[in-house]
């Protein structure tokens, strides 16, 4: 099969990939591009996950694109409406015509002689296909789409019921009248528990340790009122600006005054679950934002707990039994269905292997540059969103930066850009400074960050916006080479 050449290859047709394609078309209209998508659908996470209640854990004024208003009244949105929003964006801008579905990228190798990447993939028939390009933008997210993370539970083979991981939710699952146990305490668990109480006999959330959970409004009444007098884009930008400010304010206050934020978070839980509820189930041992905060729209989790349709158990698993789970305390939880909401299997670049001039490149040993590129890796960008705010806030401005970078190279007749560190005082640090279990398990797979700019990942939208959108491309660290012949 003949090799096809494009100026840019985008890997992944999810939220980031469709956004990157839009920015490329808008800012570099002369560039040719293709999107290689391993699955058969647009949407990434929002197409893959189909469990009951699947929704955003960020408001859609910040999770939505900066160029396309979110017009649905719900700002904590259902998964299918987010998927429709991404698909609509692709259709409206002709991006869907550039997607090659069923194309799984296996490896990419850079040649300095030709200033091109050779991208090796398999197509929907399992056949090997090859592409060449001048620039790669990886929009694959940060986890393995093929399987989630499930610990080795003792005695699980004894269990006679159904075990499900949310990442592989069966379309035909009927949980009507069933006793359900959800193992986990993160965003997936707090979403599943209230969503399944509509049919299940009872739903129990089994957690080893509590997570901070905060009630957020499902709709934005301010924006709904403003729609009567302002254009949709103006309303969207105002809502986006306001919510960015709130997110940054809460995060910064959590870091500077953790005891104050802790008291506020626990007080709002106590007010909703009632005075007789045991608060140990929502009282973490860590400070707010040491792990990601879980948001529940309109307090739906707390409502089903008060009504007795769901319960929370904080304990450790001793063993699975034929009828359910025996806990370290001796209690046994009977269950017809057990859902292992135990997290993701982190994977960088969708598992793509990299090489530069014939030598393997290990991304886990490289420092990240400006949150977008990597030390020593030419013509390669990666979309990685915020852990303390919405993913798309970062991916939008990262895409804009990469377009600025490519235009700069074209203007000066240069074909290669490579971040290089020559500062001996820069010390490598963990890429994501969070204590979450799935982050800690994957520490060895992730790249590094430095202890100062431009190698430090600040997780701060205002700082990144100034850096990526306005600061000069040439900073003495990113090196340009390979003039056009």
């Amino acid at each position: 099969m003949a090799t096809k050449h494009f100026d840019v290859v985008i890997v992944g047709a999810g939220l980031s990939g469709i956004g990157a394609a839009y920015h490329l078309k808008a800012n570099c209209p002369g560039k040719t591009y293709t999107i290689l998508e391993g699955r058969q659908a647009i949407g990434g996470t929002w197409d893959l996950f189909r469990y009951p209640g699947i929704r955003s854990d960020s408001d859609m004024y910040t999770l939505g694109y900066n160029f396309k208003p979110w017009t649905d009244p719900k700002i904590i949105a259902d998964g299918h409406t987010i998927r429709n929003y991404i698909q609509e964006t692709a259709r409206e801008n002709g991006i869907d015509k550039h997607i090659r579905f069923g194309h799984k990228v296996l490896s990419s190798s850079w040649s300095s002689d030709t200033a091109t990447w050779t991208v090796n993939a398999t197509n929907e028939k399992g056949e090997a296909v090859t592409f060449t390009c001048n620039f790669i933008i990886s929009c694959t997210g940060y986890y393995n789409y093929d399987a989630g993370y499930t610990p080795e539970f003792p005695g699980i083979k004894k269990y006679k019921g159904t075990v499900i991981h949310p990442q592989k939710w069966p379309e035909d699952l009927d949980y009507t009248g069933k006793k359900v146990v959800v193992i986990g305490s993160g965003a997936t668990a707090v979403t599943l528990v209230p969503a399944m109480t509509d049919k299940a006999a009872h739903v129990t959330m089994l957690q080893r340790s509590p997570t901070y959970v905060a009630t957020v409004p499902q709709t934005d009444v301010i924006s709904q009122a403003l729609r009567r007098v302002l254009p949709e884009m103006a309303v969207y930008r105002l809502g986006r600006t306001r919510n960015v400010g709130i997110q940054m304010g809460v995060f910064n206050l959590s870091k500077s005054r953790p005891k104050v934020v802790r008291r506020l978070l626990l007080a709002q839980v106590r007010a909703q679950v009632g005075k007789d509820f045991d608060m140990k189930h929502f009282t973490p041992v860590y400070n707010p934002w040491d792990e990601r905060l879980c948001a529940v729209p309109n307090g739906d989790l707390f409502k089903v707990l008060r009504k007795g349709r769901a319960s929370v158990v904080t304990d450790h698993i001793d063993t699975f039994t034929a009828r359910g789970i025996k806990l370290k305390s001796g209690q046994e939880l009977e269950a017809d269905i057990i859902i292992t909401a135990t997290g993701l299997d982190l994977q960088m670049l969708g598992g793509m292997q990299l090489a530069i001039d014939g030598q393997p490149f290990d991304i886990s040993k490289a420092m990240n540059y400006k949150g977008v590129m990597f030390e020593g890796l030419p013509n390669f960008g990666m979309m990685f969103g915020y852990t303390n705010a919405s993913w798309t806030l970062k991916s939008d401005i990262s895409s804009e930066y990469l377009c600025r970078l490519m235009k700069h190279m074209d203007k000066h007749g240069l074909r290669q850009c490579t971040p290089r560190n020559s500062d001996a005082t820069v010390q490598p640090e963990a890429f994501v400074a969070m204590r979450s279990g799935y982050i800690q398990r994957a520490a060895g797979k992730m790249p590094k960050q430095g202890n100062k700019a431009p190698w430090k990942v600040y997780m701060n939208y205002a700082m990144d916006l100034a850096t990526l959108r306005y600061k000069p491309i040439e900073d003495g660290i990113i090196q340009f080479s390979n003039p056009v012949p």
Side-chain angles (χ1 to χ4, degrees):
M1 190 176 291
T3 300
K4 297 179 178 65
H5 181 81
F6 297 93
D7 293 320
V8 180
V9 165
I10 298 169
V11 186
L15 189 64
S16 301
I18 300 303
Y22 174 88
H23 288 291
L24 189 66
K25 285 190 66 171
N27 295 292
C28 304
K31 297 284 185 189
T32 60
Y33 74 96
T34 190
I35 303 175
L36 304 182
E37 168 55 51
R39 301 173 67 248
Q40 294 292 340
I42 294 172
T45 291
W46 303 107
D47 179 73
L48 175 68
F49 283 92
R50 299 297 182 101
Y51 59 79
I54 172 70
R55 66 195 181 204
S56 63
D57 63 349
S58 301
D59 72 277
M60 290 306 301
Y61 288 150
T62 56
L63 189 63
Y65 298 118
N66 62 9
F67 55 85
K68 180 177 171 60
W70 176 262
T71 58
D72 193 286
K74 286 185 178 180
I75 57 168
I76 300 296
D78 301 320
H80 72 274
T81 59
I82 302 173
R83 183 171 68 250
N84 292 343
Y85 172 80
I86 300 168
Q87 292 171 344
E88 184 178 87
T89 303
R91 286 194 306 271
E92 286 176 348
N93 297 283
I95 295 167
D96 54 339
K97 298 179 178 63
H98 294 259
I99 303 171
R100 296 167 189 262
F101 293 107
H103 279 60
K104 170 71 173 174
V105 176
L106 305 177
S107 64
S108 297
S109 56
W110 171 261
S111 167
S112 295
D113 290 339
T114 61
T116 56
W117 282 101
T118 299
V119 180
N120 300 303
T122 55
N123 64 16
E124 62 273 10
K125 298 178 182 177
E127 302 167 335
V129 289
T130 303
F131 303 87
T132 59
C133 64
N134 306 108
F135 216 104
I136 292 176
I137 305 177
S138 176
C139 301
T140 58
Y142 58 94
Y143 66 90
N144 183 354
Y145 272 54
D146 295 329
Y149 171 75
T150 303
E152 291 292 329
F153 290 117
I156 193 168
K157 292 182 180 178
K158 300 176 192 173
Y159 179 58
K160 303 299 184 185
T162 303
V163 179
I164 297 165
H165 192 285
Q167 193 166 319
K168 297 289 185 180
W169 195 269
E171 288 184 17
D172 58 351
L173 180 70
D174 183 9
Y175 52 90
T176 304
K178 305 289 188 182
K179 295 177 183 177
V180 179
V181 171
V182 180
I183 303 174
S185 61
T188 302
V190 302
T191 298
L192 273 165
V193 171
M196 295 186 74
T197 57
D198 62 339
K199 297 178 184 176
H202 190 81
V203 183
T204 302
M205 185 168 84
L206 172 60
Q207 59 181 15
R208 288 186 303 178
S209 57
T211 300
Y212 288 106
V213 181
T215 291
V216 295
Q218 180 99 54
T219 57
D220 184 341
V221 293
I222 297 174
S223 294
Q224 285 180 314
L226 288 175
R227 282 194 176 97
R228 298 170 190 160
V229 294
L230 293 176
E232 194 64 59
M233 181 56 92
V235 173
Y236 182 62
R237 286 176 175 164
L238 285 170
R240 187 178 177 91
T241 302
R242 182 177 68 248
N243 290 355
V244 166
I246 292 170
Q247 288 172 1
M248 291 179 62
V250 171
F251 179 77
N252 291 334
L253 186 62
S254 297
K255 292 302 181 183
S256 63
R257 304 286 298 276
K259 291 182 180 179
V260 172
V261 175
R262 178 183 174 86
R263 283 197 299 270
L264 291 172
L265 290 171
L266 297 184
Q268 59 92 28
V269 173
R270 190 178 292 107
Q272 293 175 87
V273 294
K275 62 181 180 180
D276 297 327
F277 189 86
D278 190 343
M279 281 297 295
K280 75 175 185 181
H281 302 305
F282 290 105
T283 307
V285 297
Y286 57 88
N287 285 328
W289 278 113
D290 284 352
E291 296 184 19
R292 192 172 172 90
L293 191 71
C294 286
V296 293
N298 295 341
D300 59 2
L301 173 65
F302 305 127
K303 289 175 182 176
V304 297
L305 291 174
R306 286 196 73 159
K307 291 176 181 177
R309 293 158 62 185
S311 55
V312 183
V313 174
T314 304
D315 207 331
H316 286 69
I317 294 172
D318 181 34
T319 184
F320 274 56
T321 66
R323 298 186 303 170
I325 298 173
K326 183 183 176 185
L327 305 175
K328 295 285 188 183
S329 63
Q331 179 185 1
E332 184 170 2
L333 298 177
E334 291 188 12
D336 303 301
I337 300 170
I338 295 175
I339 300 167
T340 56
T342 45
L344 304 168
D345 176 25
L346 264 63
Q347 182 184 64
M348 304 305 295
L349 311 182
M352 180 191 343
Q353 301 298 306
L354 301 175
I356 301 175
D357 295 327
Q359 298 299 312
F361 183 89
D362 185 351
I363 198 169
S364 70
K365 293 181 169 55
M367 283 193 299
N368 190 262
Y369 171 78
K370 293 187 176 179
V372 187
M373 300 179 73
F374 294 97
E375 173 191 16
L377 187 60
N379 294 31
F380 192 100
M382 181 188 77
M383 299 296 109
F384 196 96
Y386 294 117
T387 57
N388 62 345
S390 295
W391 184 272
T392 322
L393 286 174
K394 182 65 176 290
S395 65
D396 267 335
I397 55 176
S398 296
S399 295
E400 291 176 7
Y401 170 78
L402 292 176
C403 291
R404 286 179 64 212
L405 178 62
M406 285 184 256
K407 289 170 74 173
H408 178 88
M409 293 168 68
D410 290 346
K411 180 180 179 180
H412 295 279
L414 297 165
R415 296 184 297 162
Q416 182 170 333
C417 58
T418 315
R420 306 277 186 193
N421 178 38
S422 58
D423 184 352
T425 66
V426 176
Q427 298 297 314
E429 299 178 348
F431 185 58
V432 178
M434 293 185 74
R435 293 174 38 173
S436 306
Y438 69 98
I439 297 290
Q440 297 303 315
R441 284 194 304 271
K445 301 179 185 178
M446 303 184 82
K448 304 290 188 292
Q449 65 167 314
N451 60 341
K452 57 183 176 179
W455 307 103
K456 189 167 182 61
V457 180
Y458 286 98
M459 293 293 170
N460 183 305
Y461 178 68
M463 292 179 67
D464 288 337
L465 184 66
T467 298
L468 296 176
R469 186 178 284 179
Y470 300 112
K471 285 190 176 179
I473 291 292
E474 297 219 26
D475 60 359
I477 294 173
I478 188 165
Q479 296 183 6
F480 296 93
S481 56
N482 257 332
V484 174

